[in-house]
Amino acid sequence: PTAVMYVMDLSGGAGDKCSSVEDQLQLRREVRARFPRRPWIDVVSKVDLGVVDGAREELEEILDGTHYLDVSIKEGTGVDELRDEVMRMLGEVRVVLDAMAAVDERTARQD
């Protein structure tokens, strides 16, 4: 991926048994390890439903001080901040894509 927005539901009501809080946090570890240099946003969704005991502490341990967003579409919590972060991330992606295009253009001229 060019960039990643990892959205977690830590309310404990994510649905099937494969979406437990523990599974979501483990998957987040694995995906981040696979793409360590990609622009990245961590989002905890449905914060209006609460968070399973211990989940926020485990997330903060995994993130080791990295910022994450609490979002509730229902209550409007964090929506503006999420939009701002997405725009920032897209700006980072654009810089990288522009640089790659410039390299491709130079390479094509040399051929």
Side-chain angles (χ1 to χ4, degrees), residues 39-55:
W40 189 283
I41 300 172
D42 284 298
V43 178
V44 177
S45 68
K46 301 181 184 177
V47 295
D48 54 289
L49 299 178
V51 175
V52 170
D53 286 342

Side-chain angles (χ1 to χ4, degrees), residues 5-106:
M5 180 187 328
Y6 192 81
V7 180
M8 300 162 269
D9 175 355
L10 304 183
S11 70
D16 65 31
K17 61 183 178 184
C18 296
S19 298
S20 71
V21 169
E22 295 79 19
D23 289 340
Q24 292 176 69
L25 294 174
Q26 180 59 36
L27 181 60
R28 193 265 177 213
R29 281 187 203 98
E30 293 169 6
V31 174
R32 188 62 175 154
R34 187 164 180 192
F35 303 106
R37 297 190 330 215
R38 298 292 196 274
W40 189 283
I41 300 172
D42 284 298
V43 178
V44 177
S45 68
K46 301 181 184 177
V47 295
D48 54 289
L49 299 178
V51 175
V52 170
D53 286 342
R56 191 171 298 279
E57 292 78 12
E58 187 174 351
L59 173 63
E60 289 173 355
E61 182 179 318
I62 291 167
L63 297 182
D64 194 28
T66 302
H67 179 70
Y68 64 92
L69 302 174
D70 283 327
V71 176
S72 168
I73 300 302
K74 181 178 179 180
E75 295 180 352
T77 305
V79 174
D80 291 338
E81 187 178 3
L82 176 59
R83 182 180 51 244
D84 293 346
E85 285 297 308
V86 168
M87 295 306 291
R88 179 198 54 76
M89 185 169 65
L90 290 174
E92 288 180 34
V93 168
R94 182 173 178 98
V95 168
V96 171
L97 293 177
D98 287 349
M100 291 171 60
V103 168
D104 287 347
E105 188 176 306
R106 279 181 269 159

